[in-house]
Amino acid sequence: MNNTLLRARDIHRSYGEGPTEVKVLRGVNLSVPAGEFLVVMGASGCGKSTFLHILGALDAPNRGAVEFHGKDIFSQSAQNRGFYRNREIGFVFQFYHLMPELNVLENVLIPRMVGHSILTWRRARREAKSAAAQMLERVGLSGRARHRPNELSGGERQRVAIARALINRPALLLADEPTGNLDEVTGADILKLLVELNDAGQTIVMVTHDAKVASQAHRRVHLSEGVIRETVAATGGREPAVVATARIAQ
Amino acid sequence: MYKWFLAWRYLNTKLIAFFGIASVMLCVAMVLVVLSVMGGFLDTIRARSRGLHSEIVLESGSLQGFPYYEEFQKYVAKEMPDVVRISTPVIYTYGIFRVPATTYTRPARVVGIRLKEYVQVNDFARGLYYERYFPGTTHLGEQSMPVAGLMDDGQIKLPEPLESANKRWRESETDPKTLEEFDRLPFEKAFFPSVTSVVPATRVFAVGAGPPSFEGAPKGGVIIGVDLLHYRRPDGNFDRQIARGADIALTLMPLSPTGNPTGEPPVRLPLRYADDSRTGIYEIDELCVYVEHDLLQHHLAMDAQPLEGGGSTRPRINQLQIALQPGVELNSARDRIQGAWHRFRVSLGEDITEMDERALAFVTAYTWEDMQRQFIQAVEKEKVLVTFLFGLISMVAIVLVGCIFYMIVEKKTKDIGILKALGASGKGVGGLFVVYAGAVGVVGSLLGLLVGSVFVWNINDIQDILASLNPQLRVWSPEVYSFDRIPEAVKRADAVWVAVVAVLSSIIGSLIPAWIAARVWPVKALRYE
Ligand SMILES: Nc1ncnc2c1ncn2[C@@H]1O[C@H](COP(=O)(O)OP(=O)(O)OP(=O)(O)O)[C@@H](O)[C@H]1O
Ligand SMILES: [Mg+2]
């Protein structure tokens, strides 16, 4: 498939050295086509977060490559990796990782600010603010723009984190157990939001160990003993929008 | 962009920023206070010694002194009028100071001066007490004791010219506070013929029953170092108990030109208390008394003495104080005068006695700074100590500020991870903390300068308040530190230096952890819980 957005090739990652070395990833291969909603499952401690961090260039593999549009992100300059994290990837963490000093709107704006110098920001600010407001509306939080993260519930914080991840319209959304810290109802809400985003064309790779959550994806992969063991096609009858479109075009 | 925005936001919302600001502020204030007080201390010592010395002092360093000074005065006046403005001879000796009306006896350094010339070569005039409020009345010539009289209207009046001299001062004094203070402390009365007052006061005059007059046999005047006879009150005024013009006795031991006692009995010199002098250096003011130069020279047998084989010895002095023309550089003037002295000695030729020759050989020119160095070596030692202590304090302050910023950045490691995960570069994140630390440093420094300056400006009032609560808290004792007031000026250069170093150490302290954190992969900072 030439619409592959992201490809992981033979990813190895271990922690520690010598006798205490823990080999977490031992040659993970995976490709993610554009528009897909992919779920990574596996037992706790099997290396799901490690893998996702490597996909998002938040961590480096010991061996192997992550190709984005066919180009290995780890053989590029640190500056380019910064661009990759800022523009191509949106990352959602299990523990939200919002900045407590900033209000909701400002948290969402940070990725935009990162891309601008103080000089260019003056001109970009208006557009960025309306994009952030739009994003907050998209995640259903337009009324809370001026609130601080500690005034929000867990579900609301995760929505803010999603809005922040999407403000720069990244090609790929990486979500590490976005519902892991939430109750069932709130988790289902977040999941619904992700599904809607995916339906609108957003490529998503999500880590979870909740089978119910996983059922919403197009495809599930299982990580165990450092490799991807099985790939299970979607059970919920959902298909990647792009694939569906491609099929219609045939 | 985000770094400016976040730095501003951290500054506004982080409690730790206030600790950072507070610590920078306290360090800056502390260093500024130490620097100002100690710098002021050393400056004051330098300035005060001008009350004692002219710009250039020519001295042999021995008690029997050196001859041919009058010839040298003429020589320099002719040879280098562009360098020397005026010169005046000074005699030093030691004696026993006594107040006959009391049992008070002290050793004293007796200084023979020509008052009219002496006040032109140094700041001596500024430290005279009675001369200030009764200008033109202090002299070292023969004088009787002024006795105030009771007028018909019940008023007490001083004899002329004191009364009109005081009126002159009143008219010329522009500071109403000084006038008000003078009136608040009227002179205390010593009832003639007693010359001591029961109540100590800032001024004491004898008061008689008749009209204002001058009483007693005329005697030479003596100016007494203020700490030799009087006690300083906490408010800075001195308590006097002896009336102006009271009898003073000095006992002197004349030396021959060879430096041996002349064999004559010690000279008892009857004098009258004319005024007191305050150079501001305690070591001097508790020891020195000043009398008429010619009188002292005569009684010490340092004037021309007839020789057995006919002729006479040359008059001798201990010191020639020389004031320079305006704008002449001090050290070069000293060297030129020293050179002139050597040429002068050569010009004297062969027909001087061997003894005189020897005395002349040791005469050396010093600047007043050299003299001060000789005179108060202890202060120089103190300066080294103070510099060392100050250096230590500054180092502590710098390290402290650095540590606090290290802690601040450590606490924000997670934010560094988040920002890097969102695409910020290591340089950018480092920049954020530099901006932040710089802002904390600048705000803290400004507040510190304010607090420190206000403290220094009011340091004497603060001490007075503390002392009024508990006298033990008066840390600045004039006996120990030579001055009655703690220096209370802040130098702009000091302030700028302190602030710049504080801001730099804030930035450096933050730079190290920020640089470390900015280099790691984002996960490392994020997993840090
Ligand atoms: N910095 C580290 N140093 C040493 N070991 C680490 C480090 N980070 C992760 N590990 C180990 O790597 C393994 C995989 O961790 P990872 O967080 O990727 O697991 P996970 O699959 O996401 O687990 P969970 O489902 O609990 O989130 C774990 O055994 C963990 O102990
Ligand atoms: Mg995990």
Side-chain angles (χ1 to χ4, degrees):
Chain A
M1 259 194 283
N2 56 3
N3 67 342
T4 298
L5 185 64
L6 188 76
R7 182 184 301 252
R9 284 187 196 276
D10 194 28
I11 301 287
H12 284 75
R13 182 69 167 100
S14 56
Y15 292 105
E17 267 171 48
T20 61
E21 187 179 6
V22 184
K23 287 186 174 157
V24 180
L25 302 180
R26 311 171 180 211
V28 178
N29 289 287
L30 182 72
S31 67
V32 183
E36 189 180 40
F37 191 159
L38 174 73
V39 158
V40 179
M41 298 190 73
S44 184
C46 71
K48 305 183 293 295
S49 296
T50 304
F51 178 55
L52 207 66
H53 289 148
I54 289 171
L55 291 186
L58 307 189
D59 195 5
N62 297 119
R63 189 141 64 83
V66 172
E67 289 165 7
F68 182 77
H69 283 310
K71 273 192 221 145
D72 180 19
I73 51 176
F74 293 106
S75 59
Q76 292 179 34
S77 68
Q79 194 188 12
N80 278 348
R81 263 196 305 281
F83 290 145
Y84 173 73
R85 291 180 199 131
N86 184 234
R87 310 223 175 113
E88 312 290 5
I89 297 292
F91 212 105
V92 178
F93 302 93
Q94 181 178 350
F95 298 101
Y96 329 124
H97 288 329
L98 299 176
M99 300 181 86
E101 291 89 356
L102 309 185
N103 66 30
V104 163
L105 185 72
E106 290 161 347
N107 262 294
V108 175
L109 273 173
I110 283 289
R112 275 290 167 99
M113 289 189 188
V114 166
H116 284 281
S117 78
I118 194 161
L119 299 173
T120 61
W121 175 247
R122 289 183 65 82
R123 245 176 292 143
R125 192 176 57 188
R126 187 180 290 258
E127 194 277 322
K129 277 196 168 166
S130 79
Q134 223 176 312
M135 221 58 238
L136 282 175
E137 199 180 319
R138 182 76 194 76
V139 299
L141 277 179
S142 38
R144 318 295 299 267
R146 304 275 158 215
H147 290 231
R148 286 283 166 86
N150 59 8
E151 297 165 335
L152 301 180
S153 72
E156 286 163 340
R157 287 182 209 190
Q158 199 57 292
R159 286 163 190 269
V160 177
I162 291 169
R164 178 179 68 182
L166 296 176
I167 176 103
N168 279 346
R169 310 210 169 277
L172 179 62
L173 182 67
L174 301 174
D176 189 357
E177 302 196 45
T179 61
N181 236 16
L182 304 173
D183 65 59
E184 209 167 318
V185 179
T186 320
D189 269 0
I190 294 290
L191 188 64
K192 202 166 138 242
L193 175 63
L194 292 176
V195 168
E196 283 168 21
L197 288 166
N198 177 246
D199 284 342
Q202 180 69 55
T203 313
I204 299 177
V205 176
M206 184 171 85
V207 166
T208 184
H209 43 223
D210 183 339
K212 225 193 281 169
V213 170
S215 67
Q216 295 293 311
H218 301 138
R219 184 158 66 109
R220 278 183 279 169
V221 296
H222 274 262
L223 196 59
S224 81
E225 284 162 29
V227 292
I228 287 182
R229 285 284 176 206
E230 46 179 327
T231 305
V232 179
T235 51
R238 296 187 66 250
E239 256 187 274
V242 180
V243 178
T245 317
R247 220 170 264 158
I248 290 161
Q250 269 174 358
Chain B
M1 165 56 208
Y2 66 98
K3 51 178 167 275
W4 303 95
F5 171 69
L6 278 174
W8 172 242
R9 205 33 82 82
Y10 284 171
L11 209 57
N12 271 311
T13 52
K14 275 277 154 193
L15 186 62
I16 189 115
F18 290 98
F19 281 115
I21 288 172
S23 67
V24 173
M25 181 183 90
L26 290 177
C27 284
V28 164
M30 172 185 76
V31 171
L32 191 68
V33 168
V34 172
L35 202 59
S36 297
V37 171
M38 286 310 173
F41 176 79
L42 295 170
D43 286 351
T44 318
I45 294 246
R46 282 167 61 88
R48 292 279 165 96
S49 65
R50 288 290 287 118
L52 196 68
H53 297 302
S54 58
E55 285 148 312
I56 303 291
V57 174
L58 201 66
E59 195 181 72
S60 70
S62 73
L63 277 182
Q64 67 263 39
F66 63 93
Y68 291 104
Y69 63 95
E70 283 165 315
E71 289 80 353
F72 182 66
Q73 280 184 288
K74 286 195 196 102
Y75 181 83
V76 285
K78 204 176 80 183
E79 295 288 313
M80 33 179 51
D82 53 323
V83 179
V84 174
R85 181 162 58 82
I86 180 178
S87 61
T88 183
V90 177
I91 294 176
Y92 280 122
T93 189
Y94 288 87
I96 295 165
F97 173 89
R98 207 157 62 78
V99 183
T102 69
T103 56
Y104 194 79
T105 308
R106 291 280 298 270
R109 183 177 167 99
V110 185
V111 186
I113 59 171
R114 287 180 179 150
L115 185 61
K116 280 219 176 75
E117 292 172 6
Y118 197 65
V119 297
Q120 288 180 62
V121 301
N122 60 35
D123 290 340
F124 187 72
R126 203 184 290 168
L128 297 177
Y129 178 74
Y130 285 107
E131 177 68 9
R132 175 165 183 205
Y133 301 109
F134 305 90
T137 62
T138 294
H139 65 100
L140 296 175
E142 300 253 298
Q143 50 194 281
S144 295
M145 180 163 151
V147 178
L150 266 170
M151 306 308 281
D152 293 338
D153 55 1
Q155 292 263 15
I156 298 172
K157 261 213 141 103
L158 287 167
E160 287 301 338
L162 293 175
E163 198 69 29
S164 49
N166 186 239
K167 197 179 275 168
R168 254 202 331 277
W169 167 72
R170 269 173 192 291
E171 280 155 11
S172 63
E173 178 60 59
T174 48
D175 183 8
K177 262 182 33 203
T178 314
L179 282 170
E180 188 262 329
E181 177 158 311
F182 182 84
D183 290 333
R184 193 164 48 79
L185 305 166
F187 70 77
E188 200 54 53
K189 299 165 280 289
F191 290 104
F192 192 73
S194 163
V195 294
T196 54
S197 155
V198 183
V199 186
T202 51
R203 289 184 294 285
V204 178
F205 281 102
V207 177
S213 62
F214 282 90
E215 303 285 338
K219 293 169 187 170
V222 57
I223 295 172
I224 302 168
V226 71
D227 295 295
L228 179 63
L229 194 53
H230 309 308
Y231 290 98
R232 185 186 170 276
R233 289 206 305 243
D235 67 1
N237 285 309
F238 281 83
D239 270 341
R240 296 173 174 83
Q241 244 164 324
I242 311 265
R244 194 181 185 193
D247 282 321
I248 301 289
L250 273 180
T251 307
L252 305 171
M253 175 77 70
L255 294 179
S256 76
T258 50
N260 295 311
T262 50
E264 318 244 325
V267 181
R268 188 176 174 280
L269 206 56
L271 299 161
R272 285 196 187 279
Y273 166 38
D275 206 336
D276 38 47
S277 149
R278 179 136 197 267
T279 62
I281 298 175
Y282 182 77
E283 290 77 1
I284 290 163
D285 294 337
E286 61 133 19
L287 194 62
C288 289
V289 299
Y290 306 83
V291 299
E292 175 54 41
H293 170 270
D294 294 357
L295 183 77
L296 186 63
Q297 192 177 41
H298 174 70
H299 284 286
L300 289 176
M302 287 171 84
D303 55 352
Q305 301 282 317
L307 288 170
E308 276 170 31
S312 62
T313 60
R314 296 276 168 176
R316 289 168 291 133
I317 58 167
N318 298 98
Q319 223 183 41
L320 191 64
Q321 293 210 358
I322 301 170
L324 302 177
Q325 296 288 5
V328 180
E329 204 275 319
L330 202 56
N331 287 320
S332 80
R334 175 195 56 201
D335 298 341
R336 289 176 67 181
I337 287 167
Q338 184 73 61
W341 176 257
H342 288 310
R343 286 196 304 278
F344 169 73
R345 263 178 64 206
V346 171
S347 78
L348 288 176
E350 299 290 305
D351 50 322
I352 59 173
T353 66
E354 194 194 327
M355 216 152 47
D356 284 353
E357 172 80 64
R358 220 183 303 156
L360 293 181
F362 288 102
V363 174
T364 312
Y366 301 96
T367 67
W368 64 269
E369 288 175 327
D370 298 336
M371 291 303 289
Q372 175 230 340
R373 224 164 282 151
Q374 279 187 339
F375 207 97
I376 328 170
Q377 278 175 348
V379 173
E380 286 295 308
K381 296 235 171 68
E382 241 164 286
K383 189 174 172 174
V384 173
L385 185 71
V386 165
T387 312
F388 176 75
L389 286 181
F390 173 69
L392 212 63
I393 287 174
S394 313
M395 293 298 286
V396 169
I398 289 171
V399 170
L400 199 65
V401 168
C403 280
I404 283 173
F405 277 88
Y406 190 91
M407 274 158 56
I408 291 178
V409 177
E410 284 269 273
K411 275 196 81 113
K412 302 257 71 167
T413 302
K414 202 176 122 189
D415 284 23
I416 294 175
I418 295 173
L419 288 168
K420 288 206 75 176
L422 297 176
S425 65
K427 222 163 57 184
V429 176
L432 158 66
F433 285 96
V434 172
V435 170
Y436 175 51
V440 170
V442 166
V443 174
S445 295
L446 290 179
L447 288 175
L449 291 186
L450 190 73
V451 169
S453 300
V454 167
F455 187 84
V456 172
W457 291 332
N458 297 297
I459 194 163
N460 286 294
D461 295 338
I462 293 168
Q463 160 155 285
D464 286 343
I465 291 167
L466 288 179
S468 71
L469 297 177
N470 181 354
Q472 295 278 304
L473 294 175
R474 181 168 291 279
V475 288
W476 190 273
S477 136
E479 284 78 13
V480 178
Y481 292 106
S482 310
F483 327 124
D484 55 337
R485 285 179 80 73
I486 308 172
E488 50 188 5
V490 178
K491 284 194 207 129
R492 204 169 308 168
D494 290 347
V496 169
W497 253 112
V498 173
V500 165
V501 171
V503 172
L504 282 182
S505 50
S506 314
I507 289 177
I508 289 167
S510 67
L511 215 52
I512 297 162
W515 185 72
I516 293 168
R519 274 167 38 121
V520 303
W521 288 85
V523 269
K524 203 137 182 216
L526 280 175
R527 291 230 192 200
Y528 193 85
E529 291 275 321

